[in-house]
Amino acid sequence: MTQKQSASPWVRQHQPKSAADVFGQDKAIAGLRSFITGFKPNKKKAVLAYGPAGCGKTCSVYAIAADLGLEVLELNASDFRDEKSINSVVGNAARQMSLFSRGKVILVDELDGVSGSKDRGGVAALTRLISESAFPIVMTANDPWDKRFSSLRKKAVMIEFAPLSYSCLQQCLQSICEKERIGFDEQALRGLARHSAGDVRGAINDLQLLSQLSRRLTLSELNELSERSVEEGMSSALIKVFKPTDPAIAISAFDNVSEQPDRWFLWVDENVAREYTRPEDLARAYDAISRADVFFGRIKRWQYWRFLVYINALLTAGVAVAKDERYKTPPEYRETKRLLKLWMANMRYKKRERIAQKIAERTHDSASRAIKDTIPYLKNIFRKSPEEAGRIAEELELDSEEIEWLTR
């Protein structure tokens, strides 16, 4: 193998050239092929292919297109999120003939990146274009059940790409080892397949990283990978944030934690006042946290995830440099209780909604009107007239928890 070949990413080098080369997705491949070949008479003009990252959604589209002699026009949804850009890019692709008059498949990859907010209209524009398309559209997503995509689900054929079993993934890795002439310990190969949790792309990248220089995959290399990927606890991450004054140390605090960014806020907010006792340090720290929250709000409104880099910088380096000098107090950090309070509040609201629904069914009114007009009177009755409350509870078929909620 030449040096140039060895430097090439194996994910690209060993991408399936035909649908027969795709491992473990026979049912999904059959459904996708059937849709594309029978496109014209179909009522639905799009497919929503969904499944976890790295399970083969995108490469399957290319493999089937290669078998059928079709061109693939790939568009990444995260690069055009609003109505104007979708109409311009996807709209033109859906109407224009492909190069050399070949048939084509329009691939809208990573649908999760499209904004669904009303003011930007990304999903609505894509839904309209599906009806007008002269070519089959295949969309890929990790989570198709997001409420933003409800209109798209109605327009598209749903095809699930299941997570690959470790045995199927092991066959894929073994095939690559044989092509690349990589010696391997079968136990190490099996362990790598299990470690990858069904992510083919991640498994191939790890295989190349571990074996490319030594031309072997052994248990010792696999153990090194496991040690590198051990997730740090949030307490360890907060030590990197609160203890140093060097932003270069703090900036990587959340790189290896499993918590999502919304939880970073809760952990930092809960513990910053416990760590920073000088008012001026605390004020600067909260200023950084509030600025991070502004960017988080923009992400929720616009789905512009590139702002995440600013959130990370402000919550780590921003909080770290807020203090004039390091505090010598021992690191004793604890999880916020706010989530528990939110859960308890949600439970209370759920009880109210269940009661309102029962009232609405018997009064032929809306649940929202029942919450506003009827429940306040019921609460008064349940507190002051137990006998009347008993008759109402029987009529509405209220359970003991709902009765208790009304008597509070």
Side-chain angles (χ1 to χ4, degrees):
M1 180 177 296
T2 66
Q3 183 64 29
K4 184 176 181 180
Q5 284 176 318
S6 63
S8 174
W10 288 359
V11 170
R12 188 177 304 159
Q13 193 173 330
H14 296 284
Q15 182 173 335
K17 302 297 189 295
S18 167
D21 299 330
V22 179
F23 282 85
Q25 300 292 358
D26 294 347
K27 184 177 179 181
I29 290 287
L32 195 54
R33 181 193 293 272
S34 175
F35 172 82
I36 293 173
T37 55
F39 170 70
K40 288 185 178 179
N42 278 354
K43 293 182 179 179
K44 294 185 176 180
K45 298 186 177 182
V47 158
L48 181 48
Y50 64 96
C55 67
K57 301 185 291 293
T58 302
C59 72
S60 295
V61 176
Y62 277 93
I64 292 172
D67 289 343
L68 299 176
L70 301 176
E71 176 190 354
V72 177
L73 179 58
E74 180 177 346
L75 309 164
N76 194 296
S78 61
D79 293 333
F80 49 92
R81 303 170 183 239
D82 58 16
E83 181 177 5
K84 182 179 179 181
S85 59
I86 285 178
N87 282 330
S88 174
V89 179
V90 184
N92 289 336
R95 289 185 287 269
Q96 294 175 358
M97 198 63 187
S98 63
L99 195 63
F100 306 120
S101 299
R102 292 169 62 196
K104 69 179 174 183
V105 177
I106 300 171
L107 172 60
V108 182
D109 209 14
E110 298 181 11
L111 187 64
D112 307 80
V114 175
S115 171
S117 55
K118 293 181 180 178
D119 56 328
R120 306 200 76 192
V123 170
L126 190 54
T127 304
R128 287 194 299 271
L129 287 171
I130 287 174
S131 301
E132 303 168 1
S133 177
F135 303 96
I137 295 177
V138 180
M139 303 171 287
T140 69
N142 296 336
D143 178 18
W145 310 114
D146 190 306
K147 63 181 180 181
R148 294 176 298 157
F149 305 140
S150 59
S151 59
L152 287 175
R153 289 196 299 270
K154 295 175 183 176
K155 292 279 187 177
V157 177
M158 303 288 288
I159 297 180
E160 180 181 10
F161 279 73
L164 289 185
S165 66
Y166 87 88
S167 58
C168 187
L169 188 50
Q170 183 180 348
Q171 293 176 21
C172 176
L173 295 176
Q174 183 171 334
S175 172
I176 293 174
C177 284
E178 291 168 353
K179 292 175 183 176
E180 294 288 340
R181 298 181 181 177
I182 299 294
F184 61 88
D185 182 326
E186 190 167 341
Q187 190 175 355
L189 199 66
R190 187 183 307 115
L192 179 57
R194 288 184 181 276
H195 177 273
S196 301
D199 185 348
V200 181
R201 184 167 52 243
I204 296 173
N205 286 334
D206 286 340
L207 177 63
Q208 183 174 13
L209 175 68
L210 295 174
S211 64
Q212 192 170 24
L213 293 178
S214 65
R215 313 304 298 168
R216 285 195 60 80
L217 177 68
T218 64
L219 282 173
S220 60
E221 279 102 358
L222 184 62
N223 290 335
E224 288 178 11
L225 176 67
S226 299
E227 289 172 7
R228 288 197 302 271
S229 63
V230 171
E231 295 179 340
E232 298 176 30
M234 282 301 296
S235 293
S236 299
L238 291 179
I239 290 174
K240 285 186 178 181
V241 173
F242 292 139
K243 291 305 181 185
T245 55
D246 184 353
I249 296 175
I251 196 74
S252 62
F254 297 130
D255 286 357
N256 296 311
V257 298
S258 59
E259 301 283 15
Q260 296 300 309
D262 56 338
R263 299 292 295 272
W264 302 350
F265 281 94
L266 296 175
W267 276 91
V268 174
D269 178 64
E270 178 71 20
N271 293 285
V272 65
R274 200 170 281 110
E275 178 76 19
Y276 293 178
T277 56
R278 287 188 288 272
E280 57 273 19
D281 292 351
L282 192 58
R284 287 191 290 264
Y286 273 122
D287 181 62
I289 295 169
S290 66
R291 291 174 185 271
D293 192 44
V294 170
F295 282 110
F296 196 63
R298 290 172 180 171
I299 287 178
K300 288 193 286 187
R301 286 197 302 274
W302 303 330
Q303 296 296 301
Y304 196 76
W305 287 97
R306 290 182 179 88
F307 283 149
L308 191 59
V309 67
Y310 302 123
I311 293 175
N312 181 71
L314 287 164
L315 285 181
T316 56
V319 173
V321 302
K323 57 185 178 294
D324 291 325
E325 60 185 26
R326 174 176 175 167
Y327 287 87
K328 296 181 180 180
T329 52
E332 297 179 357
Y333 308 127
R334 67 186 187 192
E335 189 172 6
T336 179
K337 298 294 189 295
R338 189 179 301 175
L339 292 176
L340 177 61
K341 293 177 181 177
L342 289 172
W343 180 82
M344 293 173 66
N346 287 335
M347 290 301 101
R348 288 196 295 270
Y349 285 127
K350 286 185 182 298
K351 290 176 186 175
R352 185 184 70 174
E353 290 168 2
R354 288 202 305 267
I355 296 170
Q357 191 61 46
K358 290 179 179 181
I359 295 171
E361 289 173 359
R362 286 160 177 79
T363 61
H364 304 288
D365 208 344
S366 67
S368 58
R369 181 59 66 88
I371 291 173
K372 182 180 178 182
D373 295 341
T374 309
I375 286 181
Y377 290 106
L378 282 186
K379 289 179 75 71
N380 192 46
I381 293 171
F382 271 69
R383 288 169 185 160
K384 295 183 178 180
S385 178
E387 185 177 342
E388 184 66 23
R391 287 197 293 269
I392 294 173
E394 184 178 356
E395 175 66 24
L396 295 178
E397 298 181 1
L398 301 178
D399 60 33
S400 58
E401 291 185 353
E402 293 163 349
I403 294 171
E404 182 185 359
W405 186 87
L406 285 169
T407 54
R408 288 178 182 172

